[in-house]
Amino acid sequence: MIIVTRKGVTADELDHIRERVEALGLRTHVSRGEHRTIVGCIGDEERLKNVPLLSIPGIEAVHAVLKPFKLASRDFVATPTRIALGDVEIGGNEVVIIAGPCSVEGRDMLMRTAIDVRASGARALRGGAFKPRSSPYSFQGLGEDGLKILADVRDETGLPIVTEVMDTRQVDLVAGYADVLQVGARNMQNFSLLTEVGRLQRPVLLKRGMSATVEDLLLAAEYVMSEGNPNVILCERGIRTFGTATRNTFDLAAIPVLKRETHLPVFADPSHAGGRRHLVPPLSFAAIAAGADGLLVEVHPDPETATSDGEQSLDFEEFRALMTSLRAFVDAAGRTMAELRRAEA
Ligand code: PEP
Ligand code: MN
């Protein structure tokens, strides 16, 4: 349920409204918009049923929220959520590109990739140290050594790092290095992991599960947010359908649907969606046209030798070309490409 307050509601009135609601055992969440302040109520709404809420000073209207997600809903939060990452902000007018290899394979390849993607316009570096692989015999990532390499490359290049956390037992370790904690598609409904990353304030890049609906994705975000971490970035990365022409089926429409339903930033991952490098540019253009706040793109110095996802990784030149053509789409969408604020090192 949401309570819409009167224009010019006072701080005392607002406190009183919250006290009344909380006294009934519900939690409140206040969102201050440009024009109105909204008090979201979470919990057993039956308890509010017999309270004459409209008689409480400062309350103008009361609406039921029929959606199962609350904190992630646009109804609850009046303004788009913006998340600071290094010297850029995700979720504002700027489009932010995060690029890097699927897996951290070593210091040299990561450093070369970071320097190159930064020069091409990426504003953060991705790279997995813990890899969720379909087969237990595939490369599983460098683990903590990979995290150390990521931190080292961040120190050298200034690029914030985005890396996956796969297990509740790794949360503290990964959070000791990462600027953004990635929760992968296979873990989107790992509720213990979502709860654990929700206890931190570190931004979480939450990927859509392969068979998850948009509502499932928003409820997964709700798990993180209800623990107290509002910094969630959603990511459409393709879902499993009966189509076999692409690795996954890129659900382009999910982007505007999410933008309508939630105040959270929405990213797209054209690499995992398409699964082939030639699909990355068209899917990137489409994602930006559909309203994505940024892209997560796999880039490798030599895709042919990549330990994971080489087929869908761009080389440096391809990424540079993508960034050049992407700017026109960003402009056409009325957005701006996030540029480097600090002087290039
Ligand atoms: C990845 O980003 O490399 C990855 C494993 O992604 P997803 O969880 O979307 O498959
Ligand atoms: Mn990958």
Side-chain angles (χ1 to χ4, degrees), residues 51-246:
V51 181
L53 290 169
L54 292 176
S55 70
I56 300 176
I59 294 185
E60 182 164 291
V62 177
H63 302 297
V65 177
L66 299 174
K67 312 251 168 63
F69 47 90
K70 313 280 179 199
L71 296 170
S73 162
R74 258 196 192 278
D75 297 336
F76 256 59
V77 178
T79 47
T81 289
R82 293 169 179 230
I83 298 172
L85 180 62
D87 48 16
V88 296
E89 206 175 47
I90 289 174
N93 195 49
E94 288 190 325
V95 168
V96 176
I97 310 298
I98 302 173
C102 179
S103 305
V104 177
E105 296 166 10
R107 187 180 188 281
D108 181 59
M109 63 79 73
L110 194 69
M111 189 67 82
R112 284 172 54 213
T113 308
I115 291 169
D116 219 281
V117 299
R118 188 186 61 172
S120 295
R123 295 288 73 105
L125 178 68
R126 61 148 290 148
F130 292 98
K131 293 304 302 178
R133 304 305 303 279
S134 299
S135 163
Y137 307 119
S138 302
F139 176 63
Q140 303 288 308
L142 295 180
E144 188 168 6
D145 288 344
L147 295 175
K148 286 181 178 155
I149 292 170
L150 280 160
D152 198 19
V153 170
R154 170 185 51 207
D155 292 348
E156 290 275 323
T157 62
L159 286 181
I161 55 180
V162 180
T163 196
E164 179 159 354
V165 55
M166 282 172 50
D167 192 297
T168 49
R169 291 167 297 183
Q170 295 164 350
V171 171
D172 288 341
L173 175 70
V174 179
Y177 295 92
D179 297 292
V180 175
L181 299 165
Q182 179 173 324
V183 172
R186 291 157 192 81
N187 265 321
M188 192 208 79
Q189 286 189 317
N190 179 339
F191 300 118
S192 336
L193 181 61
L194 297 173
T195 301
E196 219 44 53
V197 297
R199 294 196 175 130
L200 309 174
Q201 289 297 297
R202 197 71 45 83
V204 174
L205 180 83
L206 180 61
K207 290 190 135 194
R208 181 178 179 184
M210 295 186 204
S211 57
T213 62
V214 164
E215 187 175 293
D216 292 336
L217 174 59
L218 289 166
L219 283 168
E222 192 80 14
Y223 262 92
V224 179
M225 300 175 85
S226 64
E227 287 299 323
N229 187 350
N231 304 311
V232 181
I233 302 158
L234 304 169
C235 184
E236 164 59 37
R237 46 78 74 205
I239 49 173
R240 285 254 165 101
T241 65
F242 51 78
T244 53
T246 52

Side-chain angles (χ1 to χ4, degrees), residues 102 126 131 272 298 309 312:
C102 179
R126 61 148 290 148
K131 293 304 302 178
H272 290 84
E298 285 186 338
D309 288 348
Q312 65 194 35

